[in-house]
């Protein structure tokens, strides 16, 4: 069984790795593609980029709980395959797009089918023991980081043959990933743990309300929400900011994201386990969020190009918080509801992506336009840092409650998961 689980982790790692490489390929060139279709500068292109992310997230917000429910009913494998196929077709739309409307159409398609990370998280929850979940969720982060080492460099180099070439490369990789999963990826969700599909629960509002019976989980979700809103300061404006502030090319943006990938892979591939073992879950989450906030404030006031590369390190070290927090939340939920949980978390993340990209790109646009009352290109990063500090305040109480329930459990027989979650 242990050997089978290890093989499954390798399969899902490779699946997500190739998926992220495809995403990483297009990030350095997306601003240039928008500019070529819109004919205006980076400030205006950033606003359009924010709305592209919004369209993807808005659709995924409603579809993710459905896909989570379907994965609990029919298994993880078919939903992952559907997501990979949809992402590949999205890249084809980008490569062929004659107008901005085509870009939005592709984003909508990707939002409908986009569940690879959601179901991959449920997949890992299926095959992980409670004490191994933080470590194994860290593998997703390691795949994400490694993908961002490879993908942006490929994208930056491929852009030399035209702004659309990276999208064709990404489409090819995603479709090859689909074929890999079709023939290699095993099913992780045992038939005895499956349950009937319930349309009443397959919507984002119901999925989130459902977890009110786990008060600690709801508390974590509030902080989770603020963290992801803050994160869009970096995700949504990095390419636009560095091109605007430092005149970076697509290749330089790609190299910077490769550095991000190196640090993220190191952090989540090995450092998470070490830090959790040394500090425990609570201190790890607090340390990570504090580093995220520090990194954003440093980005905001960077005055030289090299500073962005240096400040990547403290920001990415904050990544120890993510899988640790995800593992804590997952441990509060029964095994037959892991798909529902990951679907709800993806809906929550999608909700932040409905709000975050338009908000952060508008802040960037507002403070970089010609008529701006104050020119401050790092304004979005500064706003993200403030939100990270807010999330740190919000998460302290639920972290304490989880610690108390764990201490109570040490002196008693293990209680059912719902009782642990409801413990004061």
């Amino acid at each position: 069984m242990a050997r089978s689980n290890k093989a499954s982790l390798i399969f899902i790692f490779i699946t997500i790795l190739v998926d992220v490489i495809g995403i990483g390929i297009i990030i350095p060139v997306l601003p240039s593609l928008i500019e070529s279709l819109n004919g205006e500068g980076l400030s205006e292109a950033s606003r359009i980029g924010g709305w592209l992310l919004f369209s993807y997230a808005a659709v995924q917000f409603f579809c993710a709980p459905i896909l989570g429910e379907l994965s609990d009913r029919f298994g993880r494998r078919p939903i992952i395959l559907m997501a990979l196929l949809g992402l590949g077709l999205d890249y084809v739309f980008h490569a062929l797009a004659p107008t901005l409307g085509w870009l939005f159409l592709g984003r909508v398609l990707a939002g409908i089918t986009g569940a690879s990370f959601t179901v991959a998280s449920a997949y890992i929850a299926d095959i992980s023991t409670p004490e191994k979940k933080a470590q194994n969720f860290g593998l997703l982060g390691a795949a994400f980081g490694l993908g961002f080492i490879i993908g942006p460099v490929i994208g930056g180099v491929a852009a030399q043959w035209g702004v659309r070439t990276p999208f064709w490369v990404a489409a090819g990789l995603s479709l090859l990933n689909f074929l890999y999963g079709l023939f290699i990826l095993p099913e992780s969700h045992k038939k005895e743990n499956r349950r009937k599909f319930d349309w009443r629960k397959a919507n984002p509002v119901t999925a989130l309300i459902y977890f009110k019976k786990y008060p600690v989980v709801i508390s974590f979700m509030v902080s989770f929400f603020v963290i992801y809103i803050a994160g869009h300061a970096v995700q949504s404006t990095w390419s636009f900011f560095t091109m605007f502030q430092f005149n970076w090319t697509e290749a330089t943006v790609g190299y910077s994201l490769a550095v991000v990938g190196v640090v993220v892979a190191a952090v989540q591939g090995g450092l998470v386990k070490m830090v959790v073992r040394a500090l425990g879950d609570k201190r790890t989450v607090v340390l990570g969020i504090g580093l995220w906030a520090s990194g954003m404030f440093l980005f905001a006031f960077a005055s030289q190009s090299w500073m962005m590369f240096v400040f990547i390190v403290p920001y990415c070290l904050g990544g120890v918080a993510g899988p640790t927090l995800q593992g804590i939340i997952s441990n509060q939920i029964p095994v037959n509801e892991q798909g529902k949980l990951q679907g709800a978390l993806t809906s929550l993340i999608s909700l932040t992506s409905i709000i975050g990209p338009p908000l952060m790109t508008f802040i960037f646009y507002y403070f970089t336009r010609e008529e701006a009352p104050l020119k401050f290109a790092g304004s979005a990063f500064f706003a993200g840092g403030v939100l990270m500090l807010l999330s740190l305040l919000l998460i302290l109480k639920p972290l304490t409650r989880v610690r108390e329930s764990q201490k109570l459990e040490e002196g008693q027989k293990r209680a059912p998961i719902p009782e642990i979650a409801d413990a004061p």
Side-chain angles (χ1 to χ4, degrees):
M1 180 65 70
R3 181 177 299 175
S4 175
N5 286 350
K6 184 176 181 180
S8 296
L9 282 173
I10 293 173
F11 291 146
I12 205 70
F13 176 85
I14 294 174
T15 299
I16 296 303
L17 171 63
V18 178
D19 201 9
V20 174
I21 288 174
I23 296 172
I25 284 173
I26 70 168
I27 290 177
V29 297
L30 188 59
S32 298
L33 178 61
I34 296 172
E35 277 192 289
S36 70
L37 294 174
N38 190 50
E40 300 190 29
L42 278 171
S43 287
E44 181 61 27
S46 70
R47 283 210 307 157
I48 295 172
W51 287 114
L52 280 171
L53 292 172
F54 167 87
S55 63
Y56 171 82
V59 174
Q60 191 179 66
F61 176 68
F62 292 101
C63 292
I66 297 175
L67 296 174
E69 283 283 318
L70 288 172
S71 78
D72 279 343
R73 175 65 182 88
F74 298 106
R76 318 302 185 197
R77 184 175 181 274
I79 309 304
I80 290 176
L81 293 177
M82 183 178 67
L84 296 177
L85 181 60
L87 188 61
L89 295 177
D90 170 45
Y91 294 142
V92 172
F93 272 95
H94 279 69
L96 295 173
T99 65
L100 288 172
W102 276 55
L103 298 186
F104 282 96
L105 182 60
R107 289 283 77 193
V108 168
L109 174 63
I112 292 172
T113 59
S116 57
F117 291 104
T118 304
V119 186
S121 296
Y123 192 108
I124 287 179
D126 290 338
I127 63 175
S128 302
T129 59
E131 61 272 13
K132 288 286 187 180
K133 282 183 179 177
Q135 176 183 341
N136 291 343
F137 279 132
L139 286 176
L140 286 182
F144 191 91
L146 187 57
F148 266 96
I149 297 171
I150 302 169
V153 173
I154 294 175
V157 172
Q160 299 177 20
W161 287 276
V163 72
R164 297 173 187 269
T165 304
F167 294 95
W168 285 115
V169 177
L173 283 174
S174 293
L175 294 176
L176 284 174
N177 199 16
F178 165 77
L179 293 176
Y180 167 80
L182 184 64
F183 292 106
I184 301 297
L185 188 67
E187 179 56 66
S188 66
H189 194 39
K190 297 178 181 179
K191 290 185 177 181
E192 59 267 27
N193 290 332
R194 298 182 188 182
R195 56 185 177 80
K196 292 182 178 180
F197 182 87
D198 188 348
W199 277 107
R200 294 172 299 177
K201 299 176 181 178
N203 69 75
V205 176
T206 301
L208 292 173
I209 292 176
Y210 175 81
F211 288 103
K212 70 180 181 181
K213 67 179 182 179
Y214 306 112
V216 173
V217 172
I218 291 295
S219 297
F220 280 129
M221 283 182 170
V222 173
S223 182
F224 201 79
F225 178 82
V226 178
I227 288 171
Y228 271 83
I229 289 282
H232 279 288
V234 176
Q235 297 171 25
S236 302
T237 69
W238 181 268
S239 297
F240 297 103
F241 170 82
T242 52
M243 288 180 173
F244 180 91
Q245 185 79 342
F246 305 116
N247 293 316
W248 282 10
T249 64
E250 290 88 350
T252 308
V253 173
Y255 298 145
S256 72
L257 293 174
V259 173
V260 171
V262 170
V263 182
V264 168
V267 169
Q268 304 210 10
L271 192 60
V272 170
K273 179 180 179 180
M274 296 169 55
V275 175
V276 169
R277 183 177 296 170
L279 302 180
D281 289 344
K282 178 181 177 180
R283 290 188 179 91
T284 298
V285 171
V286 171
L287 173 65
I289 296 175
L291 286 169
W292 272 333
S294 300
M296 287 190 178
F297 287 127
L298 291 171
F299 289 148
F301 294 103
S303 58
Q304 300 291 328
S305 186
W306 61 265
M307 293 181 178
M308 298 300 289
F309 285 90
V310 174
F311 297 158
I312 281 171
V313 176
Y315 176 76
C316 290
L317 287 175
V320 296
T324 308
L325 179 57
Q326 192 173 4
I328 290 172
I329 296 173
S330 178
N331 283 336
Q332 314 306 308
I333 302 298
V335 294
N336 66 342
E337 294 184 350
Q338 290 295 324
K340 179 186 289 291
L341 171 65
Q342 302 305 332
L345 289 177
T346 299
S347 286
L348 196 65
I349 293 170
S350 297
L351 182 59
T352 68
S353 298
I354 293 172
I355 301 168
L359 173 63
M360 295 303 178
T361 54
F362 177 78
I363 292 173
F364 173 80
Y365 162 76
Y366 185 82
F367 287 100
T368 56
R369 60 191 178 131
E370 290 297 328
E371 60 273 26
L374 171 67
K375 289 293 183 70
F376 183 26
S379 54
F381 293 137
F382 185 85
V386 172
L387 287 175
M388 279 294 182
L389 293 179
L390 175 61
S391 72
L392 184 58
L393 294 176
L394 291 172
I395 208 170
L396 291 177
K397 184 176 180 180
L399 279 176
T400 303
R401 294 178 65 188
V402 168
R403 294 273 294 193
E404 287 173 352
S405 67
Q406 289 173 345
K407 288 177 181 178
L408 179 64
E409 188 180 317
E410 290 174 1
Q412 301 177 0
K413 291 183 179 180
R414 182 173 180 84
I417 291 179
E419 293 182 19
I420 295 174
D422 290 338

